[in-house]
Amino acid sequence: GPYGLILCIGNSLSLLKNDADLNAALARAHDALAPDGHFLLQILNYASPAHQQARCRVEDQHVGQARVVAVKCLAPRENQTYLTLNYFIHDGEETETLSESTILQNRTRDTITEALQTAGFQNLETFGAFDEHPYEEAHSSDLLVVTRKKSATGT
């Protein structure tokens, strides 16, 4: 660093266990940015009715000679979502399984923007998709925030 751009995508901020961890991560990102540097983050829009329902998704792909089936299940509960990922890898002779699970924190636009402002970011813009579609709490599948670090002159 200092960096002109930091990306935090893939819903990774939802993996942070509490607000103190979120605030610390955003403060570190702010410190690593150059003046006028941009920060882009993406999480699921947990306020959307679609993300308040339990759901599973299955992906079935060939990777090289192996067939990989991935099963991703999300079960929302109050301000958290329980996530399980199961992988089945079949190489033609044997099938291997891998599993992992975690708890996601259902952060909202308000909690994210407040934490960004606390970390010193300014000029926050929110979007509902990477194509810059406007954020709509009831309809957007994602929450994207683009912000920047104040310049050395404070503008």
Side-chain angles (χ1 to χ4, degrees):
Y3 301 99
L5 173 66
I6 295 177
L7 303 174
C8 186
I9 59 176
N11 203 39
S12 55
L13 287 179
S14 296
L15 291 166
L16 298 173
K17 301 287 183 212
N18 54 51
D19 290 343
D21 289 347
L22 174 64
N23 291 336
L26 295 177
R28 284 192 296 275
H30 186 270
D31 291 345
L33 275 174
D36 289 322
H38 286 82
F39 180 63
L40 180 140
L41 70 86
Q42 174 268 331
I43 62 171
L44 294 177
N45 173 22
Y46 291 104
S48 163
H51 289 302
Q52 295 174 9
Q53 303 296 318
R55 60 208 181 276
C56 289
R57 186 174 85 200
V58 177
E59 297 286 334
D60 190 341
Q61 301 285 325
H62 281 83
V63 179
Q65 299 293 350
R67 179 179 180 189
V68 178
V69 177
V71 181
K72 178 180 183 179
C73 295
L74 297 110
R77 298 291 179 268
E78 298 176 14
N79 62 349
Q80 298 178 326
T81 295
Y82 306 144
L83 168 65
T84 59
L85 298 167
N86 296 291
Y87 302 94
F88 303 89
I89 304 127
H90 184 72
D91 66 5
E93 294 180 22
E94 295 183 20
T95 301
E96 179 183 356
T97 62
L98 301 169
S99 297
E100 59 183 289
S101 60
T102 192
I103 299 171
L104 303 173
Q105 303 303 313
N106 298 354
R107 297 200 160 87
T108 65
R109 178 171 63 169
D110 290 344
T111 59
I112 291 292
T113 56
E114 181 180 321
L116 285 164
Q117 290 169 340
T118 298
F121 289 100
Q122 65 176 17
N123 298 336
L124 283 72
E125 295 181 82
T126 59
F127 302 98
F130 283 101
D131 65 1
E132 297 183 23
H133 188 82
Y135 174 78
E136 298 177 43
E137 185 174 280
H139 302 291
S140 298
S141 63
D142 291 321
L143 168 64
L144 282 86
V145 181
V146 180
T147 185
R148 70 179 178 90
K149 183 175 182 174
K150 292 180 183 177
S151 69
T153 60
T155 60

